[in-house]
Amino acid sequence: MDAPTDKKLSVKVRHRLGRIELSADFEVNGGITALIGPSGAGKTSVLHTIAGLLISDSDSIATESRVLLDTERSINLQPEERRVGMLFQDGALFPHMSVARNVAYGLHPRPRSHRERDARVADLLKRFRIEGLASAKPSRISGGERQRVALARAVATSPEILLLDEPLSALDSVTKGHVSAELSQWLEELGLPSILVSHDFADVVGLADHVAIIEDGHLVQTGSKNDVLRRPASAFAAAFAGINFFPGTAEARGHHTEVRSPDGVVMVSTDTLTGSVGAVIHPWDVSLSLHKPESSAMNLLHGPVLQLSEVGSIVRVTVGSTPPIVAEITAESVERLSLALNRMVYASWKAAATRLVAQDGMV
Amino acid sequence: MFWAQLHSRVAIDALKVSMHTSVVSLACIVVFGTPVAYLLGTKRFPGRSAIVTLFELPLVLPPAVAGIALFAAFGRFGILGAQLRTVGIELPFTWVAVIMAQSFVALPFFVRQASAGFASIDAHLMGVSRTLGAGSARTFFRVAIPLARQSLSAGAALSWARALGEFGATALFAGSLQGTTQTLPLAIYDQFSAADLDAALAMSALMVAFSAGILAAVKVITRSSSW
């Protein structure tokens, strides 16, 4: 480790994982960092390495005050010594113990008497509003309650870090909303550096402050949630955020930059960047029309409507142009244009709406 | 008439020997087999399948061959037996030999069932136990054992039944000495050879009842969903 920094958790992971080489360095400053990426990118392995459940080749993991792992200095705390709280998908509650026993399992510091233990467990149950479930077995309680018990059980160990492995994915969508809001509030109160692994856009938007994108074992982008979701630096991140992303080669042309995609389509941008780039186009900047528009929009694609999906009063329209593009327009516009599947439409957007992000030497 | 047969000296001695030896065998099997089953059920390591094969071998091996193997190893002139004899320990034809034969033959019944039980525990539960501050020993006793207890009990019951019924390996390695190494199956064979069919039948009926009882117990254990 270098000189002590003000970072709360720093992670360096180098690990051979089957066919991929996991290599991720990042720091978590308190707040919640969402680690997202395609399946098999190594997200869960990063969490397990931090928790000490996965033995790695060459790593260092340190909190503000303690070194948990440093292979160079032969420091490797056992999982039980790391004070890392972990929340799993289904809660991973011990099925053979009551809710109260589950919460009591890891009390730290160790209670000196049964009376002290019971009192501390009662406090935790009350804090997480599960006091009515004390003697219930985990199989008899709901998914949302299970996550509350799991959080109470993790908090009972006085953890220094919280790791959340898809904590909401086992819940139905109605419960998910409630639990996400609750969880967000509790995590904020706890103020622990936390890492969230999730496949779900809504989880990330609802819970995370920062986002780190991991692909094929490598971190490709880190930053604040808004930065990463608005200016995704990879096709995966863009797809995750529901944003159009076209890789290509950029060249300056007069006042504009032209981006040529691998399939030969040229897009125009006002951003000045050359070389390998990703063109990011927000769906809400894309207009649709039935006839070739006369407007000043410099980018135009033509193709059939492949998909219409309503999200509230907004409709996401996928146009099967080359390359395919997603536009978000109002339900009124859909009606005005009488859009239907397979109807041919023009998708257009302004040069200023084509945002360019560098593709080599990631952000 | 029938019950009177069970009051014969031979039958009572055999029943005593069978009970003593099979209970001790069961204890040995559980104490030795549980950690082995835990390793085989939860860990992946090189050579694992070779070890599994080794532990399952007695399942398919003719018990007589097992008896010969034990005799070759621990017999008077066996590889280990000769060494043990120099320090005054002779195993063949003692009750310890009975226990060795029974344990050898019945161990795989327990290890198979128990390792399947350990393997079926959600790996997250073991991991979460560690992150909650429990070391591997505490995790083993507080999480793994309770969660595998159905398989452990079923495996124990099956291996006990197998130990009680053991014949071939015991006959070759331990002999058939009334009151010392003559278990029920050996006594049945002995009485049958001596043309005392009634006594053999009575003891056989007892064993049928016993075996059926154990099987029924296994059914109850594996069916009861506890939580």
Side-chain angles (χ1 to χ4, degrees):
Chain A
M1 279 302 297
D2 302 322
T5 59
D6 57 346
K7 307 294 184 191
K8 298 270 174 56
L9 170 67
S10 67
V11 178
K12 269 194 180 105
V13 182
R14 302 267 179 285
H15 185 52
R16 177 103 218 131
L17 259 182
R19 50 171 194 86
I20 67 162
E21 186 78 49
L22 187 60
S23 162
D25 293 6
F26 60 98
E27 285 173 328
V28 179
N29 281 305
I32 304 170
T33 298
L35 194 57
I36 60 180
S39 300
K43 305 177 297 278
T44 300
S45 303
V46 171
L47 288 199
H48 285 197
T49 305
I50 297 171
L53 300 177
L54 187 71
I55 296 156
S56 50
D57 308 334
S58 142
D59 298 317
S60 67
I61 294 164
T63 65
E64 205 172 8
S65 53
R66 293 188 308 149
V67 176
L68 305 183
L69 173 67
D70 189 334
T71 43
E72 261 173 47
R73 284 164 41 192
S74 307
I75 297 173
N76 182 7
L77 296 189
Q78 290 296 301
E80 59 269 25
E81 301 165 326
R82 293 196 180 194
R83 311 268 301 281
V84 171
M86 192 141 183
L87 246 60
F88 288 96
Q89 191 178 109
D90 51 354
L93 299 179
F94 300 125
H96 57 301
M97 297 180 195
S98 67
V99 164
R101 284 275 168 192
N102 264 281
V103 173
Y105 189 84
L107 273 176
H108 181 93
R110 280 288 173 81
R112 275 152 303 175
S113 65
H114 286 296
R115 177 185 278 189
E116 186 200 324
R117 180 194 69 195
D118 295 344
R120 278 165 63 189
V121 168
D123 278 350
L124 281 160
L125 295 178
K126 205 167 162 194
R127 181 167 162 201
F128 290 95
R129 296 197 295 280
I130 42 177
E131 59 268 54
L133 306 175
S135 54
K137 281 283 170 69
S139 57
R140 311 245 170 234
I141 68 180
S142 74
E145 289 167 338
R146 232 170 282 170
Q147 278 306 355
R148 276 195 248 168
V149 176
L151 185 61
R153 183 178 65 174
V155 168
T157 65
S158 320
E160 294 180 355
I161 305 162
L162 268 184
L163 306 176
L164 307 111
D165 191 359
E166 308 251 5
L168 305 176
S169 64
L171 306 176
D172 62 78
S173 53
V174 178
T175 318
K176 200 178 226 181
H178 288 297
V179 179
S180 173
E182 259 179 24
L183 193 59
S184 166
Q185 196 190 330
W186 273 317
L187 292 177
E188 196 171 324
E189 273 175 41
L190 292 167
L192 295 170
S194 310
I195 301 177
L196 165 74
V197 161
S198 179
H199 281 112
D200 191 300
F201 183 69
D203 290 3
V204 173
V205 170
L207 293 171
D209 306 306
H210 301 275
V211 170
I213 309 273
I214 187 167
E215 289 182 41
D216 282 329
H218 294 270
L219 278 185
V220 294
Q221 191 180 12
T222 57
S224 77
K225 173 172 67 186
N226 290 341
D227 274 2
V228 174
L229 296 184
R230 292 226 178 100
R231 290 178 67 86
S234 71
F236 171 81
F240 187 82
I243 288 170
N244 298 298
F245 184 91
F246 306 116
T249 318
E251 241 175 73
R253 269 298 142 81
H255 296 299
H256 292 119
T257 305
E258 278 188 8
V259 181
R260 188 172 290 274
S261 76
D263 33 21
V265 177
V266 173
M267 289 169 229
V268 183
S269 171
T270 51
D271 285 3
T272 52
L273 206 61
T274 52
S276 250
V277 297
V280 172
I281 300 135
H282 293 139
W284 49 91
D285 285 333
V286 179
S287 317
L288 296 182
S289 55
L290 297 176
H291 306 288
K292 207 163 180 172
E294 304 290 323
S295 68
S296 61
M298 297 184 72
N299 293 292
L300 190 65
L301 293 172
H302 188 230
V305 172
L306 290 186
Q307 203 182 10
L308 290 160
S309 50
E310 266 179 74
V311 186
S313 61
I314 298 289
V315 181
R316 280 175 69 87
V317 184
T318 309
V319 180
S321 47
T322 315
I325 190 161
V326 176
E328 282 182 9
I329 59 177
T330 60
E332 285 163 30
S333 308
V334 171
E335 215 162 291
R336 189 166 43 78
L337 295 168
S338 52
L339 285 190
L341 290 183
N342 296 321
R343 181 126 210 202
M344 296 300 285
V345 290
Y346 287 92
S348 60
W349 67 97
K350 293 177 176 163
T354 312
R355 314 303 306 272
L356 301 183
V357 289
Q359 281 298 279
D360 294 334
M362 297 295 180
V363 184
Chain B
M1 172 62 201
F2 186 80
W3 291 112
Q5 293 295 337
L6 289 177
H7 286 103
S8 72
R9 195 67 239 162
V10 172
I12 288 170
D13 280 351
L15 188 62
K16 274 188 187 162
V17 170
S18 265
M19 279 302 153
H20 287 161
T21 54
S22 67
V23 167
V24 176
S25 294
L26 179 62
C28 294
I29 287 168
V30 170
V31 169
F32 176 70
T34 305
V36 171
Y38 180 68
L39 288 180
L40 293 179
T42 60
K43 305 275 192 275
R44 293 286 170 272
F45 50 88
R48 181 181 168 278
S49 45
I51 295 177
V52 170
T53 308
L54 192 69
F55 272 91
E56 291 189 346
L57 199 57
L59 280 180
V60 288
L61 211 59
V65 175
I68 290 286
L70 284 170
F71 201 81
F74 298 101
R76 194 173 277 244
F77 306 106
I79 304 156
L80 298 165
Q83 310 233 345
L84 286 172
R85 208 148 75 92
T86 58
V87 291
I89 300 174
E90 271 194 62
L91 293 175
F93 310 111
T94 64
W95 70 281
V96 179
V98 179
I99 287 159
M100 288 172 74
Q102 289 177 346
S103 301
F104 184 80
V105 171
L107 181 67
F109 287 81
F110 177 75
V111 171
R112 263 170 81 105
Q113 194 91 20
S115 66
F118 286 125
S120 69
I121 298 174
D122 181 357
H124 285 164
L125 294 176
M126 314 282 263
V128 92
S129 166
R130 302 294 300 279
T131 69
L132 290 170
S136 35
R138 186 153 178 253
T139 298
F140 177 73
F141 287 110
R142 296 274 313 264
V143 180
I145 295 270
L147 290 180
R149 74 189 163 95
Q150 280 187 7
S151 302
L152 292 172
S153 332
L158 284 175
S159 69
W160 188 31
R162 181 67 189 85
L164 266 175
E166 215 304 300
F167 177 78
T170 313
L172 268 83
F173 184 49
S176 184
L177 307 170
Q178 192 189 332
T180 318
T181 69
Q182 192 180 69
T183 58
L184 273 172
L186 288 162
I188 291 169
Y189 180 74
D190 217 44
Q191 297 301 300
F192 182 75
S193 304
D196 189 349
L197 194 59
D198 286 345
L201 265 177
M203 287 189 282
S204 297
L206 184 68
M207 290 219 67
V208 169
F210 209 84
S211 305
I214 289 179
L215 272 186
V218 170
K219 287 271 185 296
V220 171
I221 292 164
T222 48
R223 203 187 297 141
S224 68
S225 82
S226 40
W227 37 75

